[in-house]
Amino acid sequence: MKKSIGLLVASLLLSGAVLTSCKTDAEKVEDAQEDVVDAREDEMDAQQDLNEATYENASDYEQFKAATKVVIAENETRIAEFKVKLKAESAENKAKWESKIDAMEKRNDQLEDDIDDFKDGASENWNDFKNRIEKSKNDIDADIEAYKREHNY
């Protein structure tokens, strides 16, 4: 990026020199200095825009991650409550319901891994990632609600 801005500055100076060849040396120097100042301002503006865009994307991710971590923690609490209530079930029902609880727990753990791994391998589009995570959250929530309905919790 710095090379392209440097090329831009150089081309501005060169074009400024060609266009201002009828001016005195003092005017040419002054114009060139103004071009350099303008180019540096443009470079700073571009760098600031890049920093803001990067910050905003990171901020969106961090906010989304924090909100998802809250949901994951709530799911973990509900799953732990199910495990406690499962102890009161008969041996026959325990085996049946334990597999459902384990599946919910596994999906919740996978959700946590997915949200933590996004920055490491950000080959996925941000919107696709958000949609996939939201679907996972909704699926786990639906499983938890179905389990609660089946057990009248």
Side-chain angles (χ1 to χ4, degrees):
M1 180 159 172
K2 288 183 179 182
K3 287 183 180 181
S4 63
I5 293 175
L7 289 173
L8 176 66
V9 170
S11 64
L12 286 173
L13 290 175
L14 181 60
S15 63
V18 170
L19 293 174
T20 61
S21 60
C22 299
K23 296 181 179 182
T24 65
D25 288 339
E27 290 173 335
K28 289 179 187 178
V29 169
E30 187 177 312
D31 287 346
Q33 288 173 339
E34 288 176 15
D35 288 343
V36 169
V37 169
D38 290 343
R40 285 186 180 154
E41 288 174 359
D42 291 344
E43 181 182 358
M44 287 189 291
D45 289 344
Q47 186 63 43
Q48 183 177 0
D49 291 346
L50 176 63
N51 291 341
E52 288 173 3
T54 302
Y55 176 75
E56 288 171 4
N57 286 340
S59 179
D60 286 348
Y61 168 72
E62 292 301 324
Q63 290 176 1
F64 184 72
K65 181 178 178 179
T68 302
K69 290 282 189 170
V70 169
V71 170
I72 291 168
E74 290 171 351
N75 291 345
E76 288 173 350
T77 301
R78 290 192 263 177
I79 290 168
E81 290 171 355
F82 294 159
K83 285 182 176 183
V84 169
K85 291 179 180 181
L86 185 66
K87 293 180 189 231
E89 294 283 341
S90 66
E92 187 178 302
N93 286 338
K94 265 187 190 179
K96 176 184 174 185
W97 299 117
E98 193 169 39
S99 65
K100 287 190 176 194
I101 291 172
D102 289 343
M104 283 186 277
E105 189 171 32
K106 184 178 179 182
R107 289 179 73 183
N108 201 49
D109 290 343
Q110 182 62 48
L111 176 61
E112 186 170 21
D113 290 344
D114 288 347
I115 195 74
D116 287 337
D117 292 343
F118 178 71
K119 273 196 156 179
D120 295 337
S123 61
E124 187 174 10
N125 177 312
W126 170 245
N127 288 328
D128 292 343
F129 173 76
K130 278 183 17 180
N131 290 337
R132 184 171 56 83
I133 295 297
E134 288 295 334
K135 182 181 180 332
S136 293
K137 289 188 324 189
N138 292 338
D139 290 348
I140 294 168
D141 190 51
D143 288 348
I144 289 172
E145 292 303 316
Y147 187 89
K148 286 169 65 174
R149 273 192 311 276
E150 291 171 351
H151 289 84
N152 297 320
Y153 292 151

Short mmCIF file of all heavy atoms in Angstrom, two decimals, residues 2-61:
data_model
loop_
_atom_site.label_atom_id
_atom_site.label_comp_id
_atom_site.label_asym_id
_atom_site.label_seq_id
_atom_site.Cartn_x
_atom_site.Cartn_y
_atom_site.Cartn_z
N LYS A 2 1.96 1.23 0.77
CA LYS A 2 2.84 2.39 0.81
C LYS A 2 3.51 2.61 -0.53
O LYS A 2 3.72 3.75 -0.92
CB LYS A 2 3.88 2.22 1.91
CG LYS A 2 3.32 2.35 3.30
CD LYS A 2 4.39 2.26 4.34
CE LYS A 2 3.80 2.43 5.73
NZ LYS A 2 4.81 2.40 6.77
N LYS A 3 3.81 1.51 -1.25
CA LYS A 3 4.42 1.64 -2.57
C LYS A 3 3.46 2.31 -3.54
O LYS A 3 3.86 3.17 -4.32
CB LYS A 3 4.85 0.29 -3.11
CG LYS A 3 6.06 -0.28 -2.43
CD LYS A 3 6.47 -1.59 -3.05
CE LYS A 3 7.69 -2.15 -2.34
NZ LYS A 3 8.14 -3.40 -2.94
N SER A 4 2.18 1.92 -3.48
CA SER A 4 1.21 2.51 -4.39
C SER A 4 0.99 3.98 -4.07
O SER A 4 0.82 4.80 -4.98
CB SER A 4 -0.11 1.75 -4.34
OG SER A 4 -0.68 1.82 -3.07
N ILE A 5 1.02 4.32 -2.81
CA ILE A 5 0.87 5.74 -2.44
C ILE A 5 2.13 6.50 -2.85
O ILE A 5 2.05 7.63 -3.33
CB ILE A 5 0.58 5.88 -0.93
CG1 ILE A 5 -0.80 5.30 -0.64
CG2 ILE A 5 0.67 7.33 -0.48
CD1 ILE A 5 -1.18 5.25 0.81
N GLY A 6 3.29 5.86 -2.70
CA GLY A 6 4.54 6.49 -3.13
C GLY A 6 4.53 6.72 -4.62
O GLY A 6 4.98 7.78 -5.10
N LEU A 7 4.02 5.75 -5.39
CA LEU A 7 3.91 5.93 -6.83
C LEU A 7 2.94 7.05 -7.17
O LEU A 7 3.17 7.83 -8.10
CB LEU A 7 3.46 4.63 -7.50
CG LEU A 7 4.49 3.50 -7.54
CD1 LEU A 7 3.85 2.22 -8.06
CD2 LEU A 7 5.67 3.89 -8.39
N LEU A 8 1.86 7.13 -6.42
CA LEU A 8 0.89 8.20 -6.63
C LEU A 8 1.53 9.56 -6.39
O LEU A 8 1.36 10.49 -7.18
CB LEU A 8 -0.31 8.01 -5.70
CG LEU A 8 -1.39 9.10 -5.74
CD1 LEU A 8 -2.07 9.13 -7.10
CD2 LEU A 8 -2.39 8.89 -4.64
N VAL A 9 2.29 9.66 -5.30
CA VAL A 9 2.96 10.92 -4.98
C VAL A 9 3.95 11.27 -6.08
O VAL A 9 4.01 12.42 -6.55
CB VAL A 9 3.67 10.83 -3.61
CG1 VAL A 9 4.57 12.02 -3.37
CG2 VAL A 9 2.64 10.72 -2.50
N ALA A 10 4.72 10.28 -6.52
CA ALA A 10 5.71 10.53 -7.57
C ALA A 10 5.04 10.97 -8.86
O ALA A 10 5.51 11.91 -9.54
CB ALA A 10 6.56 9.29 -7.79
N SER A 11 3.94 10.30 -9.23
CA SER A 11 3.25 10.68 -10.47
C SER A 11 2.62 12.06 -10.34
O SER A 11 2.59 12.82 -11.32
CB SER A 11 2.21 9.63 -10.84
OG SER A 11 1.20 9.58 -9.87
N LEU A 12 2.12 12.39 -9.16
CA LEU A 12 1.58 13.74 -8.96
C LEU A 12 2.67 14.79 -9.11
O LEU A 12 2.45 15.84 -9.73
CB LEU A 12 0.93 13.86 -7.58
CG LEU A 12 -0.42 13.19 -7.38
CD1 LEU A 12 -0.84 13.26 -5.92
CD2 LEU A 12 -1.47 13.83 -8.26
N LEU A 13 3.83 14.52 -8.56
CA LEU A 13 4.94 15.46 -8.67
C LEU A 13 5.39 15.61 -10.11
O LEU A 13 5.66 16.72 -10.57
CB LEU A 13 6.11 15.02 -7.78
CG LEU A 13 5.88 15.13 -6.27
CD1 LEU A 13 7.07 14.54 -5.52
CD2 LEU A 13 5.68 16.58 -5.87
N LEU A 14 5.48 14.48 -10.82
CA LEU A 14 5.90 14.52 -12.21
C LEU A 14 4.89 15.27 -13.07
O LEU A 14 5.25 16.14 -13.87
CB LEU A 14 6.10 13.10 -12.74
CG LEU A 14 6.58 12.99 -14.19
CD1 LEU A 14 7.93 13.69 -14.35
CD2 LEU A 14 6.69 11.54 -14.61
N SER A 15 3.60 14.95 -12.89
CA SER A 15 2.57 15.65 -13.68
C SER A 15 2.51 17.12 -13.29
O SER A 15 2.28 17.98 -14.15
CB SER A 15 1.21 14.99 -13.50
OG SER A 15 0.79 15.07 -12.17
N GLY A 16 2.74 17.40 -12.02
CA GLY A 16 2.77 18.80 -11.60
C GLY A 16 3.93 19.54 -12.23
O GLY A 16 3.81 20.72 -12.61
N ALA A 17 5.05 18.88 -12.37
CA ALA A 17 6.22 19.51 -12.99
C ALA A 17 5.97 19.80 -14.46
O ALA A 17 6.36 20.86 -14.97
CB ALA A 17 7.44 18.62 -12.82
N VAL A 18 5.32 18.87 -15.16
CA VAL A 18 5.03 19.07 -16.58
C VAL A 18 4.03 20.20 -16.77
O VAL A 18 4.21 21.07 -17.64
CB VAL A 18 4.50 17.77 -17.21
CG1 VAL A 18 3.97 18.00 -18.61
CG2 VAL A 18 5.59 16.70 -17.22
N LEU A 19 2.99 20.22 -15.94
CA LEU A 19 1.95 21.23 -16.09
C LEU A 19 2.41 22.63 -15.65
O LEU A 19 1.88 23.63 -16.12
CB LEU A 19 0.70 20.83 -15.30
CG LEU A 19 -0.03 19.59 -15.81
CD1 LEU A 19 -1.16 19.22 -14.86
CD2 LEU A 19 -0.58 19.82 -17.21
N THR A 20 3.35 22.67 -14.78
CA THR A 20 3.78 23.97 -14.26
C THR A 20 5.12 24.42 -14.83
O THR A 20 5.81 25.23 -14.23
CB THR A 20 3.88 23.91 -12.73
OG1 THR A 20 4.84 22.93 -12.37
CG2 THR A 20 2.54 23.63 -12.09
N SER A 21 5.48 23.92 -16.00
CA SER A 21 6.78 24.26 -16.57
C SER A 21 6.90 25.74 -16.95
O SER A 21 8.00 26.24 -17.15
CB SER A 21 7.08 23.38 -17.77
OG SER A 21 6.09 23.58 -18.76
N CYS A 22 5.80 26.43 -17.02
CA CYS A 22 5.83 27.85 -17.36
C CYS A 22 5.99 28.75 -16.13
O CYS A 22 6.02 29.96 -16.25
CB CYS A 22 4.57 28.25 -18.12
SG CYS A 22 4.36 27.36 -19.67
N LYS A 23 6.07 28.16 -14.98
CA LYS A 23 6.16 28.93 -13.75
C LYS A 23 7.62 29.14 -13.37
O LYS A 23 8.51 28.44 -13.84
CB LYS A 23 5.43 28.21 -12.61
CG LYS A 23 3.95 28.07 -12.85
CD LYS A 23 3.31 27.38 -11.68
CE LYS A 23 1.79 27.24 -11.91
NZ LYS A 23 1.15 26.63 -10.78
N THR A 24 7.83 30.09 -12.49
CA THR A 24 9.18 30.33 -11.99
C THR A 24 9.60 29.18 -11.09
O THR A 24 8.76 28.40 -10.62
CB THR A 24 9.24 31.64 -11.19
OG1 THR A 24 8.44 31.50 -10.02
CG2 THR A 24 8.78 32.83 -12.02
N ASP A 25 10.89 29.11 -10.84
CA ASP A 25 11.39 28.02 -9.99
C ASP A 25 10.78 28.08 -8.60
O ASP A 25 10.45 27.04 -8.02
CB ASP A 25 12.92 28.10 -9.91
CG ASP A 25 13.58 27.68 -11.21
OD1 ASP A 25 12.92 26.97 -12.01
OD2 ASP A 25 14.76 28.02 -11.43
N ALA A 26 10.61 29.24 -8.04
CA ALA A 26 10.03 29.39 -6.70
C ALA A 26 8.58 28.89 -6.69
O ALA A 26 8.15 28.21 -5.75
CB ALA A 26 10.10 30.83 -6.24
N GLU A 27 7.83 29.22 -7.74
CA GLU A 27 6.44 28.76 -7.82
C GLU A 27 6.38 27.24 -7.99
O GLU A 27 5.50 26.59 -7.42
CB GLU A 27 5.73 29.43 -9.00
CG GLU A 27 5.48 30.91 -8.78
CD GLU A 27 4.92 31.59 -10.03
OE1 GLU A 27 5.15 31.08 -11.16
OE2 GLU A 27 4.25 32.61 -9.88
N LYS A 28 7.30 26.70 -8.76
CA LYS A 28 7.33 25.25 -8.97
C LYS A 28 7.61 24.52 -7.66
O LYS A 28 6.98 23.51 -7.36
CB LYS A 28 8.39 24.89 -10.01
CG LYS A 28 8.04 25.31 -11.42
CD LYS A 28 9.16 24.95 -12.36
CE LYS A 28 8.91 25.50 -13.75
NZ LYS A 28 10.00 25.20 -14.67
N VAL A 29 8.57 25.05 -6.90
CA VAL A 29 8.91 24.44 -5.63
C VAL A 29 7.73 24.52 -4.68
O VAL A 29 7.39 23.54 -4.00
CB VAL A 29 10.16 25.11 -5.02
CG1 VAL A 29 10.37 24.66 -3.58
CG2 VAL A 29 11.38 24.81 -5.86
N GLU A 30 7.07 25.65 -4.65
CA GLU A 30 5.92 25.83 -3.76
C GLU A 30 4.80 24.87 -4.14
O GLU A 30 4.18 24.24 -3.28
CB GLU A 30 5.44 27.28 -3.84
CG GLU A 30 4.36 27.61 -2.83
CD GLU A 30 3.96 29.08 -2.89
OE1 GLU A 30 4.85 29.94 -2.90
OE2 GLU A 30 2.74 29.32 -2.92
N ASP A 31 4.52 24.73 -5.44
CA ASP A 31 3.48 23.81 -5.90
C ASP A 31 3.84 22.36 -5.57
O ASP A 31 2.97 21.58 -5.16
CB ASP A 31 3.26 23.96 -7.41
CG ASP A 31 2.54 25.24 -7.78
OD1 ASP A 31 1.96 25.88 -6.87
OD2 ASP A 31 2.53 25.60 -8.97
N ALA A 32 5.09 22.03 -5.74
CA ALA A 32 5.52 20.67 -5.44
C ALA A 32 5.37 20.38 -3.95
O ALA A 32 4.95 19.28 -3.56
CB ALA A 32 6.96 20.46 -5.89
N GLN A 33 5.71 21.35 -3.12
CA GLN A 33 5.56 21.17 -1.68
C GLN A 33 4.09 20.99 -1.31
O GLN A 33 3.74 20.17 -0.45
CB GLN A 33 6.17 22.36 -0.93
CG GLN A 33 7.68 22.37 -0.97
CD GLN A 33 8.28 23.64 -0.37
OE1 GLN A 33 7.61 24.66 -0.27
NE2 GLN A 33 9.55 23.55 0.01
N GLU A 34 3.22 21.76 -1.95
CA GLU A 34 1.79 21.62 -1.70
C GLU A 34 1.29 20.23 -2.13
O GLU A 34 0.46 19.62 -1.44
CB GLU A 34 1.01 22.70 -2.43
CG GLU A 34 1.17 24.08 -1.82
CD GLU A 34 0.47 25.15 -2.64
OE1 GLU A 34 -0.38 24.83 -3.50
OE2 GLU A 34 0.77 26.34 -2.39
N ASP A 35 1.81 19.74 -3.27
CA ASP A 35 1.42 18.42 -3.74
C ASP A 35 1.86 17.33 -2.75
O ASP A 35 1.12 16.38 -2.50
CB ASP A 35 2.03 18.14 -5.12
CG ASP A 35 1.37 18.94 -6.23
OD1 ASP A 35 0.25 19.48 -6.00
OD2 ASP A 35 1.97 19.05 -7.32
N VAL A 36 3.07 17.50 -2.22
CA VAL A 36 3.56 16.53 -1.24
C VAL A 36 2.70 16.56 0.01
O VAL A 36 2.31 15.52 0.55
CB VAL A 36 5.05 16.79 -0.91
CG1 VAL A 36 5.49 15.97 0.28
CG2 VAL A 36 5.91 16.51 -2.12
N VAL A 37 2.36 17.75 0.47
CA VAL A 37 1.51 17.88 1.65
C VAL A 37 0.15 17.25 1.38
O VAL A 37 -0.38 16.50 2.22
CB VAL A 37 1.38 19.37 2.07
CG1 VAL A 37 0.30 19.55 3.12
CG2 VAL A 37 2.71 19.90 2.57
N ASP A 38 -0.42 17.54 0.21
CA ASP A 38 -1.72 16.95 -0.15
C ASP A 38 -1.64 15.42 -0.21
O ASP A 38 -2.53 14.72 0.27
CB ASP A 38 -2.21 17.49 -1.49
CG ASP A 38 -2.63 18.96 -1.42
OD1 ASP A 38 -2.85 19.46 -0.29
OD2 ASP A 38 -2.74 19.59 -2.49
N ALA A 39 -0.58 14.92 -0.80
CA ALA A 39 -0.41 13.47 -0.91
C ALA A 39 -0.26 12.83 0.46
O ALA A 39 -0.81 11.76 0.72
CB ALA A 39 0.79 13.14 -1.79
N ARG A 40 0.48 13.47 1.35
CA ARG A 40 0.63 12.94 2.71
C ARG A 40 -0.69 12.96 3.45
O ARG A 40 -1.01 12.03 4.19
CB ARG A 40 1.69 13.73 3.48
CG ARG A 40 3.09 13.40 3.03
CD ARG A 40 4.13 14.06 3.88
NE ARG A 40 5.46 13.70 3.40
CZ ARG A 40 6.53 14.44 3.58
NH1 ARG A 40 6.45 15.59 4.22
NH2 ARG A 40 7.69 14.04 3.12
N GLU A 41 -1.48 14.01 3.25
CA GLU A 41 -2.80 14.06 3.87
C GLU A 41 -3.68 12.95 3.34
O GLU A 41 -4.40 12.30 4.11
CB GLU A 41 -3.45 15.43 3.63
CG GLU A 41 -2.83 16.55 4.42
CD GLU A 41 -3.41 17.91 4.06
OE1 GLU A 41 -4.29 18.00 3.16
OE2 GLU A 41 -2.97 18.90 4.66
N ASP A 42 -3.62 12.72 2.01
CA ASP A 42 -4.40 11.63 1.42
C ASP A 42 -3.95 10.28 1.98
O ASP A 42 -4.78 9.40 2.25
CB ASP A 42 -4.26 11.63 -0.11
CG ASP A 42 -4.94 12.83 -0.75
OD1 ASP A 42 -5.78 13.48 -0.07
OD2 ASP A 42 -4.64 13.10 -1.93
N GLU A 43 -2.64 10.11 2.15
CA GLU A 43 -2.11 8.87 2.70
C GLU A 43 -2.60 8.67 4.13
O GLU A 43 -3.03 7.58 4.51
CB GLU A 43 -0.59 8.87 2.66
CG GLU A 43 0.04 7.62 3.21
CD GLU A 43 1.56 7.66 3.21
OE1 GLU A 43 2.14 8.66 2.76
OE2 GLU A 43 2.14 6.69 3.70
N MET A 44 -2.54 9.74 4.92
CA MET A 44 -3.02 9.64 6.31
C MET A 44 -4.50 9.34 6.36
O MET A 44 -4.96 8.54 7.18
CB MET A 44 -2.68 10.91 7.09
CG MET A 44 -1.21 11.04 7.42
SD MET A 44 -0.82 12.39 8.54
CE MET A 44 -1.14 13.82 7.52
N ASP A 45 -5.28 9.98 5.47
CA ASP A 45 -6.72 9.71 5.42
C ASP A 45 -6.99 8.25 5.06
O ASP A 45 -7.85 7.59 5.66
CB ASP A 45 -7.41 10.63 4.42
CG ASP A 45 -7.48 12.07 4.89
OD1 ASP A 45 -7.26 12.32 6.09
OD2 ASP A 45 -7.73 12.95 4.04
N ALA A 46 -6.25 7.75 4.07
CA ALA A 46 -6.43 6.36 3.65
C ALA A 46 -6.05 5.41 4.77
O ALA A 46 -6.74 4.41 5.03
CB ALA A 46 -5.60 6.07 2.41
N GLN A 47 -4.95 5.71 5.46
CA GLN A 47 -4.53 4.85 6.58
C GLN A 47 -5.56 4.89 7.70
O GLN A 47 -5.88 3.87 8.30
CB GLN A 47 -3.16 5.29 7.10
CG GLN A 47 -2.58 4.38 8.15
CD GLN A 47 -2.31 2.98 7.62
OE1 GLN A 47 -1.81 2.80 6.53
NE2 GLN A 47 -2.67 1.98 8.41
N GLN A 48 -6.11 6.07 7.96
CA GLN A 48 -7.13 6.20 9.00
C GLN A 48 -8.38 5.41 8.61
O GLN A 48 -8.97 4.73 9.44
CB GLN A 48 -7.48 7.66 9.24
CG GLN A 48 -8.47 7.86 10.36
CD GLN A 48 -8.74 9.33 10.64
OE1 GLN A 48 -8.18 10.21 10.00
NE2 GLN A 48 -9.59 9.59 11.60
N ASP A 49 -8.78 5.49 7.34
CA ASP A 49 -9.94 4.72 6.88
C ASP A 49 -9.70 3.22 7.03
O ASP A 49 -10.60 2.48 7.46
CB ASP A 49 -10.24 5.04 5.41
CG ASP A 49 -10.77 6.45 5.21
OD1 ASP A 49 -11.16 7.09 6.22
OD2 ASP A 49 -10.79 6.91 4.05
N LEU A 50 -8.49 2.79 6.71
CA LEU A 50 -8.15 1.38 6.87
C LEU A 50 -8.20 0.97 8.33
O LEU A 50 -8.77 -0.07 8.68
CB LEU A 50 -6.76 1.09 6.29
CG LEU A 50 -6.23 -0.32 6.48
CD1 LEU A 50 -7.10 -1.32 5.74
CD2 LEU A 50 -4.80 -0.40 6.00
N ASN A 51 -7.63 1.80 9.19
CA ASN A 51 -7.65 1.50 10.63
C ASN A 51 -9.08 1.45 11.17
O ASN A 51 -9.42 0.57 11.95
CB ASN A 51 -6.84 2.53 11.41
CG ASN A 51 -5.36 2.42 11.15
OD1 ASN A 51 -4.87 1.40 10.68
ND2 ASN A 51 -4.64 3.47 11.44
N GLU A 52 -9.91 2.39 10.74
CA GLU A 52 -11.30 2.40 11.20
C GLU A 52 -12.05 1.17 10.71
O GLU A 52 -12.80 0.56 11.45
CB GLU A 52 -12.01 3.67 10.73
CG GLU A 52 -11.56 4.91 11.47
CD GLU A 52 -12.15 6.19 10.90
OE1 GLU A 52 -12.96 6.13 9.95
OE2 GLU A 52 -11.79 7.26 11.40
N ALA A 53 -11.83 0.81 9.45
CA ALA A 53 -12.51 -0.37 8.90
C ALA A 53 -12.06 -1.62 9.63
O ALA A 53 -12.88 -2.48 9.97
CB ALA A 53 -12.23 -0.50 7.41
N THR A 54 -10.77 -1.71 9.89
CA THR A 54 -10.26 -2.87 10.62
C THR A 54 -10.82 -2.89 12.02
O THR A 54 -11.24 -3.92 12.52
CB THR A 54 -8.71 -2.82 10.66
OG1 THR A 54 -8.23 -2.80 9.32
CG2 THR A 54 -8.15 -4.02 11.39
N TYR A 55 -10.84 -1.74 12.67
CA TYR A 55 -11.37 -1.66 14.04
C TYR A 55 -12.85 -2.02 14.06
O TYR A 55 -13.30 -2.76 14.91
CB TYR A 55 -11.16 -0.26 14.60
CG TYR A 55 -11.77 -0.09 15.97
CD1 TYR A 55 -11.19 -0.64 17.10
CD2 TYR A 55 -12.97 0.60 16.11
CE1 TYR A 55 -11.76 -0.51 18.35
CE2 TYR A 55 -13.56 0.74 17.36
CZ TYR A 55 -12.95 0.19 18.46
OH TYR A 55 -13.54 0.32 19.69
N GLU A 56 -13.60 -1.50 13.09
CA GLU A 56 -15.03 -1.79 13.08
C GLU A 56 -15.29 -3.27 12.86
O GLU A 56 -16.15 -3.86 13.50
CB GLU A 56 -15.72 -0.96 12.00
CG GLU A 56 -15.81 0.51 12.37
CD GLU A 56 -16.29 1.39 11.23
OE1 GLU A 56 -16.64 0.86 10.16
OE2 GLU A 56 -16.30 2.61 11.42
N ASN A 57 -14.54 -3.91 11.94
CA ASN A 57 -14.72 -5.35 11.72
C ASN A 57 -14.34 -6.13 12.97
O ASN A 57 -15.04 -7.05 13.36
CB ASN A 57 -13.89 -5.82 10.53
CG ASN A 57 -14.49 -5.37 9.22
OD1 ASN A 57 -15.65 -5.03 9.15
ND2 ASN A 57 -13.69 -5.35 8.18
N ALA A 58 -13.24 -5.76 13.58
CA ALA A 58 -12.84 -6.44 14.80
C ALA A 58 -13.88 -6.21 15.89
O ALA A 58 -14.20 -7.10 16.64
CB ALA A 58 -11.46 -5.97 15.26
N SER A 59 -14.39 -5.01 15.93
CA SER A 59 -15.38 -4.68 16.93
C SER A 59 -16.66 -5.50 16.71
O SER A 59 -17.22 -6.03 17.66
CB SER A 59 -15.70 -3.18 16.87
OG SER A 59 -16.68 -2.86 17.82
N ASP A 60 -17.09 -5.62 15.45
CA ASP A 60 -18.25 -6.44 15.15
C ASP A 60 -18.01 -7.89 15.59
O ASP A 60 -18.87 -8.50 16.21
CB ASP A 60 -18.56 -6.43 13.65
CG ASP A 60 -19.18 -5.14 13.18
OD1 ASP A 60 -19.59 -4.33 14.03
OD2 ASP A 60 -19.25 -4.94 11.95
N TYR A 61 -16.85 -8.40 15.25
CA TYR A 61 -16.52 -9.77 15.63
C TYR A 61 -16.48 -9.91 17.14
O TYR A 61 -17.04 -10.86 17.68
CB TYR A 61 -15.17 -10.18 15.01
CG TYR A 61 -14.65 -11.48 15.59
CD1 TYR A 61 -15.24 -12.69 15.27
CD2 TYR A 61 -13.58 -11.48 16.47
CE1 TYR A 61 -14.79 -13.88 15.81
CE2 TYR A 61 -13.12 -12.67 17.02
CZ TYR A 61 -13.72 -13.86 16.68
OH TYR A 61 -13.27 -15.03 17.23
#
